[in-house]
Amino acid sequence: AKELRCKTSDLVDKSVHAVGPLALGPATLAEIRTTVARLGYMYLETARTRADGSTYWAGIAFTAQRDADGKMVGLIAVSRDITDRRALVDQLVTAKADLERQMRVRADFIGTASHELRTPATTLRTLCALLVSKIAPRYSFGEEDRTLVGLLDRETKRLSLLVDDLL
């Protein structure tokens, strides 16, 4: 009665079908009975509307009521207001989805940055190697020219390593 915000007299000696806020129709109740008969218990989370019109989430544990011979003669249901827990679960699900989206954005960024940074660094290294292997033998490079080409080679290697470390 406290959970549903109604009077005890609204619930006592009434069928589950007769109490609107419980929201258990005959088909649902039959399914619950079948499951409890098979497994011995069942847990259900459902949205409910209280007598005052407010809504909440209920967690209901069903177990079998048995006679002295062990035959199931009814159901025992314990219901709890789990609205706060459900809200936390919803927040976690939302946070997980946001995190997954951020991870995808990060992966896309790293992929794009990798391509955009490695391509010019690789091109510069290739051009430097070509400069040394193809052009230097044709023309006489002075000591200063060789120093500059060596510096270009070292710096392009350094740039490539820096890009690799960064990514």
Side-chain angles (χ1 to χ4, degrees):
K2 182 179 176 185
E3 184 179 314
L4 294 174
R5 296 183 185 160
C6 65
K7 294 181 247 168
T8 306
S9 61
D10 294 338
L11 302 174
V12 175
D13 293 329
K14 301 250 170 79
S15 166
V16 171
H17 308 300
V19 181
L22 293 179
L24 293 176
T28 303
L29 194 55
E31 184 181 327
I32 291 168
R33 282 184 201 277
T34 303
T35 303
V36 171
R38 187 170 37 90
L39 300 175
Y41 68 93
M42 181 177 164
Y43 181 75
L44 174 69
E45 289 186 7
T46 185
R48 284 187 173 167
T49 303
R50 293 184 175 104
D52 64 4
S54 62
T55 58
Y56 72 104
W57 280 93
I60 311 161
F62 296 93
T63 56
Q65 179 185 11
R66 301 190 184 278
D67 63 12
D69 297 328
K71 181 182 173 197
M72 186 170 127
V73 294
L75 292 172
I76 299 171
V78 177
S79 179
R80 295 182 187 267
D81 182 342
I82 60 165
T83 304
D84 292 340
R85 184 185 64 81
R86 186 72 181 223
L88 289 173
V89 169
D90 290 346
Q91 287 175 354
L92 284 173
V93 168
T94 301
K96 180 182 177 265
D98 287 346
L99 183 60
E100 288 171 345
R101 183 188 52 77
Q102 290 172 4
M103 298 278 287
R104 281 190 305 276
V105 167
R106 179 182 175 269
D108 290 348
F109 171 77
I110 289 173
T112 301
S114 173
H115 175 73
E116 294 299 324
L117 292 172
R118 282 186 175 134
T119 299
T122 302
T123 302
L124 287 172
R125 289 197 64 204
T126 302
L127 290 174
C128 182
L130 286 172
L131 184 65
V132 170
S133 67
K134 295 211 178 216
I135 298 176
R138 292 185 202 163
Y139 303 99
S140 61
F141 271 22
E143 188 61 33
E144 185 179 329
D145 294 335
R146 279 192 281 285
T147 302
L148 289 174
V149 170
L151 179 62
L152 178 63
D153 185 50
R154 280 191 309 278
E155 290 302 313
T156 56
K157 285 178 186 174
R158 186 170 155 245
L159 179 61
S160 292
L161 290 173
L162 180 64
V163 168
D164 289 342
D165 288 346
L166 184 65
L167 297 173

